[in-house]
Amino acid sequence: MYDVLVKNGKIVTADAVTEGNIAIKEGRIAAVLTKGEEPEATNVIDAAGKYVFPGAIDTHAHLNDPGFEWREDYEHGTAAAALGGYTTVIDMPLQNDPCMTDAKAFDFKENKVSPNAYVDYCFWGGLTSYNFGDLKDLDEKGCVSFKSFIGPVSPDYESLNYGQAMEAMDMIKEFDGRAGFHCEDYAIIKNQEKRMKEAGRNDWKAFLESRPVVAEIVATDAIIEIAKATGCKAHICHVSHPAVAKKIKAAQDEGYDITAETCTHYLTFSNEDVIEKGPLYKCAPILQPKEAVEEMWEYVKAGVFSGIASDHSPCSYDEKFNEILGNKIETVFDVWGGCSGIQSGFQAAFSEGVVKRGVCPTVLANAMSVLPAKAFGIYGKKGDIKPGFDADLLIVDPNKEWEITEESLLYVNKISAFVGLKGKGLPVMTLVRGNVIAKDGKVIAKKGVGELVKKLK
Amino acid sequence: MYDVLVKNGKIVTADAVTEGNIAIKEGRIAAVLTKGEEPEATNVIDAAGKYVFPGAIDTHAHLNDPGFEWREDYEHGTAAAALGGYTTVIDMPLQNDPCMTDAKAFDFKENKVSPNAYVDYCFWGGLTSYNFGDLKDLDEKGCVSFKSFIGPVSPDYESLNYGQAMEAMDMIKEFDGRAGFHCEDYAIIKNQEKRMKEAGRNDWKAFLESRPVVAEIVATDAIIEIAKATGCKAHICHVSHPAVAKKIKAAQDEGYDITAETCTHYLTFSNEDVIEKGPLYKCAPILQPKEAVEEMWEYVKAGVFSGIASDHSPCSYDEKFNEILGNKIETVFDVWGGCSGIQSGFQAAFSEGVVKRGVCPTVLANAMSVLPAKAFGIYGKKGDIKPGFDADLLIVDPNKEWEITEESLLYVNKISAFVGLKGKGLPVMTLVRGNVIAKDGKVIAKKGVGELVKKLK
Amino acid sequence: MYDVLVKNGKIVTADAVTEGNIAIKEGRIAAVLTKGEEPEATNVIDAAGKYVFPGAIDTHAHLNDPGFEWREDYEHGTAAAALGGYTTVIDMPLQNDPCMTDAKAFDFKENKVSPNAYVDYCFWGGLTSYNFGDLKDLDEKGCVSFKSFIGPVSPDYESLNYGQAMEAMDMIKEFDGRAGFHCEDYAIIKNQEKRMKEAGRNDWKAFLESRPVVAEIVATDAIIEIAKATGCKAHICHVSHPAVAKKIKAAQDEGYDITAETCTHYLTFSNEDVIEKGPLYKCAPILQPKEAVEEMWEYVKAGVFSGIASDHSPCSYDEKFNEILGNKIETVFDVWGGCSGIQSGFQAAFSEGVVKRGVCPTVLANAMSVLPAKAFGIYGKKGDIKPGFDADLLIVDPNKEWEITEESLLYVNKISAFVGLKGKGLPVMTLVRGNVIAKDGKVIAKKGVGELVKKLK
Amino acid sequence: MYDVLVKNGKIVTADAVTEGNIAIKEGRIAAVLTKGEEPEATNVIDAAGKYVFPGAIDTHAHLNDPGFEWREDYEHGTAAAALGGYTTVIDMPLQNDPCMTDAKAFDFKENKVSPNAYVDYCFWGGLTSYNFGDLKDLDEKGCVSFKSFIGPVSPDYESLNYGQAMEAMDMIKEFDGRAGFHCEDYAIIKNQEKRMKEAGRNDWKAFLESRPVVAEIVATDAIIEIAKATGCKAHICHVSHPAVAKKIKAAQDEGYDITAETCTHYLTFSNEDVIEKGPLYKCAPILQPKEAVEEMWEYVKAGVFSGIASDHSPCSYDEKFNEILGNKIETVFDVWGGCSGIQSGFQAAFSEGVVKRGVCPTVLANAMSVLPAKAFGIYGKKGDIKPGFDADLLIVDPNKEWEITEESLLYVNKISAFVGLKGKGLPVMTLVRGNVIAKDGKVIAKKGVGELVKKLK
Ligand SMILES: [Zn+2]
Ligand SMILES: [Zn+2]
Ligand SMILES: [Zn+2]
Ligand SMILES: [Zn+2]
Ligand SMILES: [Zn+2]
Ligand SMILES: [Zn+2]
Ligand SMILES: [Zn+2]
Ligand SMILES: [Zn+2]
């Protein structure tokens, strides 16, 4: 007698779409069965006509909890993730108070957030200039990777320079960890911004010019070379442009273990949105030209990305339009950067990819579940529809049309670049370890059902 | 109630090695279950301590039946395959009488061989200068690919020149088929051989010099370029050298659907074996230097090969040492070319790869099952351990040591380059569609259990 | 007292355009002097306002003499070359009777043509299946390179297959020679032509489709690989397409001594000319699309080509429009292939390159004089404006506008694809070893002034 | 009547070595003549049996004058250059007081040094964070390029970060200038040094580890990408390693105007010298392994380098062994970095290249004269043996053996890594604009004969 049987669905894995059933016991997939094989189960879910995806993994999200709960918290953020289809969220170490830079912060955070999570979560470890001595501890605690910035991003979290990156990678290599980087060259960004300001520019085009793609290329090149020199595994966060993806693919083709992610917004929106609509489309790296968006999909199809992340970077309405922490927003450069997208990531990727561009659903299963789980060391438990894996499933109705509205957002702050987007193909049920968390657009589980996932050893 | 339950094994797929059980009903995998999930079954097989691989697919074998049964026939050849672990053999269209060049030959062969097969089999369609008009028919009959020669190989089967290859690929592309080629430039081989003979050479080094790697490179380059120009899917047969693999990988990295296979002998033996031991090590392309063998394994690991084939090319003892069809063997150039390896392919690959070189078993599952099944259009039925797939399984005892002896060979002609090879890791049970065909070194099924497999549409 | 002083010209070399004077004694450049240095000379030529180029070298021309003088002969062909600005013509070994395939033919030809030549000439040695034993002799006689066909071209001259090419290159490497090839894969061309005919096609588009660029790519790839394998220097004749140039540049960038030439017609005309105007624009390889023409100029600028040749391939009017050697022309495939361009090569290249596309004159000096002389082993004597070099000079009026007319052609057969072409920049004087051969559109020397040039040892 | 005639020498240019004569009038080459052409001249120099090179150009030297004359000054530094064969020295803007960062400093320096120079000199313009507004002025004054540091090098001269480099290149591109960089990533170097110190390391191996080649690769990659993005011409200073040269060659092969130089010491010494002999072999980038040295010569032959510079970085004995500006040298990191090599550059390159490794003399003429002159905009006046060019000549006796001794050094400080080096092939006469500056190991001109050379417009 199984706990749950999901039957008659079109099961999507990285290899194929096949009809079949999934039996779940004690939170894990106990059996994957052919169509017709219907062992008894307490709860039988009929997925006829629908896709059953492995739950998506958001490799990059900022849930801001603890410390900045007025931007986002675990209760709201993971509820949105659950509705959207991310069954595991790899939470970023910064915009947290304290930052996730030592074992104590790990425990503190875990205690704080675990009662409120709707989906499972991993922690990125912090990687800053001052916590090199804590990296091994954090790895032992279960951090799945370590995140640092090469570019200037967050006031509460120092960026690394390339020398520190090299030192960190020498250390992380020791315990076979992975080092992840926000790759925009710090100095290029800072100086371009300064130039724009000196030129009296305060328009969205100036913002775009302040973050030229060469900044992303330079930093990515540097991290790739340092990864080659140290032998450390690297992860390039939120790749925005095909010229960057090309560099990463070249290193992968040479055989280096250098993974990367892109984000749904880089596969959906363009720089024209920034110019036309402004604040909500400000993020870093920037949104790129339309032709670049098309080319990015080619790299998704080629398997270059271990993650189509949300880079969910929420903020209050004021922080986009009025002031941030008491500082008035006077120019485009002051506006909070970040797209809130954790709820929309999967459905937008499905609609833009599978529906609009004819991408095979297997590509999304690979890019959003299998490859991220492998990159972050949780494959075996997460990331696939196989016996023994956690029963994290996402049932998608491929024919359902949708438009994203503010009211539908479960975030603390109901603003997003995705509001107004229309598409087709909607998650209609989300299971995390066999529990139905969301159904028909509503979160139906009790909070606290989400659990911490540690890197598998 | 299932027919068979294979339990407690370490199930090997392309992604992972996990403990679990496999339930089989009516020849197909009905369920893949976590360890401990043991539904009732008529026949329970305990695989504790053993690997359970998806049955290997031999993408390239010459079974010579009908027409040349004194070299090999389906009864002996597929029995050997079964013992060795190839559960599907993709049989070559030549050294058959008639050659598999039209629909009639397809039916004739199918009728002749089906009563004798121990494992499942696909047919390569013939691709010669005179049967372009039959290609579509053969595709509809179920041929999984079409095989031609660029190099001079077989007296009963005309090679194509590059122009004919282009025309054929234009036609095969129409029905989304795949064109496979023995890539050694005809003229280079022929002329090098002539030069050796003119120089009075009759030594094994001369034979090696008569087939320089540049011949393989030139032909492979040409087929790659023609594939790019026509848009037809291509398959490069029996790649022997890393310089060739490099060219193929480059095309794959650019996104072209160009698959390739290597053979176990190219991963096991070297040109020194040819020089020292002669006739049994003569094959085409030739065995390469030891460093090349090591590099070939890197390309296996990188996923370049959709197949580690046997290129089983049997002959009588006389054809290696005395005379062929009445013609005396007077020089190294006259000796029959071909290694008989269908029985040894998997175990040698396992021993040389997993045991000796630390290759992960998942690499073999990918290279010998998943990728071949995808390349030849039978994935979904063959090539993986997933519900709905045929229950083709290979149980391997990783600790069993072995030495290959003549007596152990099931071939019509008990000669092989593999005789004398020692290693570790042995197939101890082979299932085809749920039937136990071989067990503990013996074939235990009745002949005729093997079935034709057609390309899936 | 010098024989000649060319003064006040803008001297063009591969490095720079500088004003200065050139003093000539006994046929050679005795001194290159700064402007103002005007030693006495019997004949003072004022080149003020004009460019003084090193005489251009036509790396590829068919003068057809002896044997086919009704198509072209030395008297007419070299007169046209002189007028056009090619001061050295490297004459092809075929469409000669006898072909230039042994030392006897060399002497015979030299005796026959030397009384009639207006410019200097080198001989390509023949490279056919039957004269491998004569190659060393021909090299010693002074042949500057050896020419063979990979594609099907000439009825009187057998093409080599890749095996023969390899054998030949092994031999030519022995005396450090260079092997040149017409690179179009024989079988692709032949088979495409057959397909067109079978489809009942007889239009110029069909002709173009019968010689797809992949044929040129395949043959070029093969020759490059064979050159790498043998270590022999190679020359790729008349490159028509940037995809081919890209392959050659890649090999050059890797450090291989693989030279190539293109032709003026590939830098001037496009496939549209073939379709619109037919017979006179038929050549092999074919004229390519306009975008390809633009890209070809980039490869010229990058220094990839050691020669912008004429591939002068003259024929009678009948052979383009009525019949060839008694065979009626019934289809586009029967029409004589070849453009007559030896008179127009330099001026068209100057007009299309320097005038229309802003190419620096130094680029032409490099591509048409320096690099060809180096590739063919005559640098030191030919190819540059330096003391000790032969005083082969070409004075060009950059402002003179022109239109090519039939009447202006000095060929035996006054037909050419270039008739009707308009442009700017015209050779107004040509000197060969200090002799003024042509002046103001007229040949003024006596025939026989041209001499044989042998490869320097 | 000419001023000077250099006769009977083997004139070396980038293209060829030919016997001939050179007539000089008013400091410039008035004529280049064939052997035997011997116009009258006041001073006839017989160079029989010797090479006549175009004077070498030292693209990178620190003469330290004004401001640090106790390290080196124009009198001593240019005397050494003259003896060694550098007829033009491109002097670095730093270790000057004032630094060459504005027009005033240009004039001040020119006034100060011009009375003391024995060879001609150009000025690198300074490129620091604070003088962007002066770049155009400096260009107009005649600076041939602009030099900045990416790595941490000099206390008196701020390094640029990549953002400032980008801004600077946007500006320099406006007047078609060239931006040169010391490419070692600042942060990697600084941090590696810190790590070594923290580990208590104070050995020469630690110094080498503090400057890993990845630092040079990262900075070079970044400058290449910024050059591509801005369209500005770039120059990579003192390339030490073939992995860096490979990156530069790739960009050059793509068609970008990115030049580079290496130094004689990178072609002569190895990291073993540093470990064995210490202080005098400390420089930045570091000396590399012996295999790297061999590979560097391949890049020289391939024409990748526009300059084999000295990077003459003199210091007092104390600064290598005791103290620098009052600071005690306590560790390997404190030792002054820099090799004094301006006197030895040509002879070491000739001996190591032409004599030891069989490099053609033309390669040196190209790498040390032609390409540097082109890269720095002084070709036409400097860098070649052509009429109209300055008569800067270097007469080399290829058979003369030598050993470098302290006493022979003309520097202010007679210390150098080159002391003790033995070789063959020695400059025996140096002419600058027709003046014999040095002869048979002695400087024989009066100081002040050297002149400023401005970038040609
Ligand atoms: Zn980021
Ligand atoms: Zn982020
Ligand atoms: Zn074969
Ligand atoms: Zn075969
Ligand atoms: Zn040709
Ligand atoms: Zn021709
Ligand atoms: Zn430096
Ligand atoms: Zn320096």
Side-chain angles (χ1 to χ4, degrees), chain C residues 144-146 172 176-180 233-235 257-259 374-375:
Chain C
V144 293
S145 184
F146 294 88
I172 292 170
D176 197 27
R178 186 177 297 276
K233 296 187 287 192
H235 182 77
D257 188 348
I258 294 172
T259 56
K374 288 182 175 175

Side-chain angles (χ1 to χ4, degrees), chain D residues 60 62 92 147 149 153 181-184 237-238 284-285 311:
Chain D
H60 186 149
H62 302 263
M92 278 290 166
K147 169 68 185 293
F149 291 89
V153 178
F181 294 93
H182 176 127
C183 284
E184 289 186 292
C237 291
H238 47 49
D311 195 2

Side-chain angles (χ1 to χ4, degrees), chain D residues 248-249 252-253 258-260 296-307 363 366-367 371:
Chain D
I248 294 163
K249 182 172 192 305
Q252 291 173 344
D253 288 344
I258 294 172
T259 56
M296 283 297 283
W297 275 105
E298 295 307 310
Y299 285 99
V300 172
K301 289 195 272 179
V304 169
F305 297 117
S306 298
V363 167
N366 199 33
L371 293 178

Side-chain angles (χ1 to χ4, degrees), chain C residues 74-95:
Chain C
Y74 259 60
E75 181 171 349
H76 291 82
T78 60
L83 207 59
Y86 286 123
T87 54
T88 303
V89 173
I90 313 186
D91 190 17
M92 277 291 166
L94 71 159
Q95 286 139 15

Side-chain angles (χ1 to χ4, degrees), chain B residues 30-48:
Chain B
V32 187
L33 310 105
T34 49
K35 186 159 183 175
E37 294 294 319
E38 303 187 3
E40 277 186 82
T42 309
N43 178 11
V44 174
I45 296 165
D46 195 322

